[in-house]
Amino acid sequence: MRIVVAEDLYLLRDGMVRLLQAYGHEVVATAATGPETLQALLERRPDVAVVDVRMPPGQSDEGLRAALAARREAPGLPVLILSQHVEQLYARELLADGAGGIGYFLKDSVFDADQFIDALERVAAGGTAMDPAVIARLLSSGTSNRRLARLTEREHDVLALMAEGLSNQAIGRRLFLSDSAISKYTTSMFGKLGLVDDDDSNRRVLAVLTYLNKAPD
């Protein structure tokens, strides 16, 4: 994969570059400020970008806002936010375009290289990869959604794990259910959410976005 790494701390940025290269990926650009991040994303159009939230010059939310601006110019540009902070307002805006290719992990939640690379590859493929802690923060400020209220408790469980980016097989292992049972739950869930697209991957993304955004009908 062609990757842009946007992180203002030199040691962390350099460490990520070395890690990605060790896994056979190409880092096409690095950035240490919000403006550099936007420039790199638009000029390089990477397969996926790893972006910190708080970057110079203001050390507030420059990285996340750069990712938003880049996705407005290049819809669906895959971005994995990797930060110590959950910026709820901009995180919701990032999810709201419905294009997929979004991930959001807290740095403290990444425990090994394989976990990080797996999340990055899922985002690059147009899927989602969400930290459970980020999901909890987003849901805590969400509004109700009548479509979500139609789901059973088990369907909610399946959707919550889908939001983390888990496959049907991984969800089945987590819930101690067979692949066929998970398939039935997801089919029912898609129907209740009104997701009739024939592309199952796209329906998964839309279901997750519905879950995380909690937008009213």
Side-chain angles (χ1 to χ4, degrees), residues 26 61 140 163-164 205:
E26 178 187 5
D61 48 27
S140 68
E164 294 181 29
V205 170

Side-chain angles (χ1 to χ4, degrees), residues 41-179:
L41 293 177
L42 294 180
E43 289 183 355
R44 296 292 187 167
R45 301 294 175 101
D47 297 320
V48 65
V50 183
V51 180
D52 191 11
V53 170
R54 298 186 178 181
M55 302 180 72
Q59 288 293 354
S60 57
D61 48 27
E62 282 83 351
L64 190 46
R65 286 193 285 115
L68 281 166
R71 281 175 63 94
R72 283 193 288 268
E73 292 290 326
L77 180 70
V79 175
L80 173 63
I81 301 297
L82 184 64
S83 178
Q84 292 178 321
H85 312 279
V86 180
E87 298 291 343
Q88 295 186 18
L89 177 63
Y90 288 118
R92 288 185 177 281
E93 187 176 346
L94 190 64
L95 291 163
D97 65 14
I102 290 295
Y104 201 133
F105 268 77
L106 297 180
K107 292 175 180 177
D108 291 344
S109 298
V110 179
F111 299 115
D112 58 57
D114 288 340
Q115 176 196 13
F116 175 64
I117 297 297
D118 177 67
L120 202 59
E121 290 175 346
R122 275 186 274 139
V123 171
T128 58
M130 302 296 295
D131 189 323
V134 173
I135 293 174
R137 287 289 300 278
L138 293 178
L139 293 181
S140 68
S141 63
T143 58
S144 63
N145 186 308
R146 290 192 297 275
R147 289 180 297 169
L148 289 173
R150 301 169 191 157
L151 303 184
T152 66
E153 182 178 354
R154 181 60 81 187
E155 287 166 351
H156 270 286
D157 293 340
V158 170
L159 184 52
L161 293 174
M162 191 180 288
E164 294 181 29
L166 300 185
S167 66
N168 280 3
Q169 292 77 15
I171 293 172
R173 288 193 295 271
R174 187 77 67 88
L175 298 178
F176 303 102
L177 294 170
S178 66
D179 290 351

